[in-house]
Amino acid sequence: MNIKLSVIIPVYNAEKYIVACMESLIHQIPTQAKYELVVIDDGSFDKSLDICREYANNYNFIHVFHQSNQGVSCARNLGIQKSQGEYVTFVDADDWVEKDFVNNIIQNIDNIDVFIFDGFINKHNTANKNHFWFKDTMFDNNKSLLI
């Protein structure tokens, strides 16, 4: 089976956050389609690279690459070059995703031209808001039009 989705994670000195990010991505709702995590360490001088390599040693769908510090754009570009997925998405190393993140993308990606989404949890962890934009229309998780 071919890889449907590559999740690219640029990492720079993120040892305080990367475990939460990786845990959220390895504990996704099972999907029929395969996905991979492409981690690009951008010259971190903390333990980020070691943490990511440990995950790669334990999960065969995680691939870790290292480069000298060149900035997040170069790290993302290297991630695109190294990715094997039909589609790519990006997750920042200091973020984490909901357990249906990969499924939401894979279930919708073939039927649309543009798929843009965002979400947040405020500093008090009391608000969680997810939006999906399909072409020029914005929908929420229930695919209800937001006006």
Side-chain angles (χ1 to χ4, degrees):
M1 182 186 297
N2 292 334
I3 296 172
K4 187 72 169 178
L5 181 68
S6 296
V7 180
I8 299 170
I9 309 164
V11 176
Y12 179 72
N13 292 338
E15 71 179 335
K16 293 179 182 178
Y17 315 104
I18 194 64
V19 169
C21 177
M22 298 295 278
E23 288 293 317
S24 73
L25 285 160
I26 62 174
H27 295 294
Q28 290 291 297
I29 294 172
T31 177
Q32 295 290 341
K34 289 177 71 176
Y35 72 100
E36 68 175 346
L37 305 183
V38 179
V39 179
I40 307 298
D41 178 73
D42 189 37
S44 297
F45 53 85
D46 64 1
K47 294 184 185 294
S48 297
L49 180 58
D50 294 335
I51 294 167
C52 294
R53 285 182 173 157
E54 184 66 27
Y55 274 99
N57 288 337
N58 292 317
Y59 298 93
N60 63 0
F61 64 96
I62 300 175
H63 312 288
V64 177
F65 302 93
H66 174 76
Q67 68 179 19
S68 61
N69 182 256
Q70 298 175 49
V72 68
S73 295
C74 288
R76 287 182 175 154
N77 288 338
L78 180 60
I80 292 169
Q81 290 172 10
K82 298 294 186 179
S83 68
Q84 299 174 37
E86 186 177 346
Y87 298 98
V88 299
T89 189
F90 301 95
V91 173
D92 291 338
D94 61 347
D95 292 337
W96 64 94
V97 298
E98 295 295 324
K99 64 184 177 192
D100 59 352
F101 174 78
V102 170
N103 256 347
N104 279 337
I105 295 172
I106 289 174
Q107 287 176 356
N108 293 292
I109 200 76
D110 287 327
N111 302 320
I112 55 175
D113 294 329
V114 177
F115 188 55
I116 303 170
F117 51 94
D118 75 348
F120 66 88
I121 298 177
N122 70 18
K123 67 181 179 178
H124 303 291
N125 290 332
T126 57
N128 184 356
K129 189 173 186 178
N130 294 303
H131 291 132
F132 299 90
W133 287 272
F134 298 92
K135 294 186 179 177
D136 296 324
T137 310
M138 189 167 77
F139 295 82
D140 67 10
N141 276 341
N142 298 318
K143 299 206 169 89
S144 302
L145 178 63
L146 297 174
I147 298 177

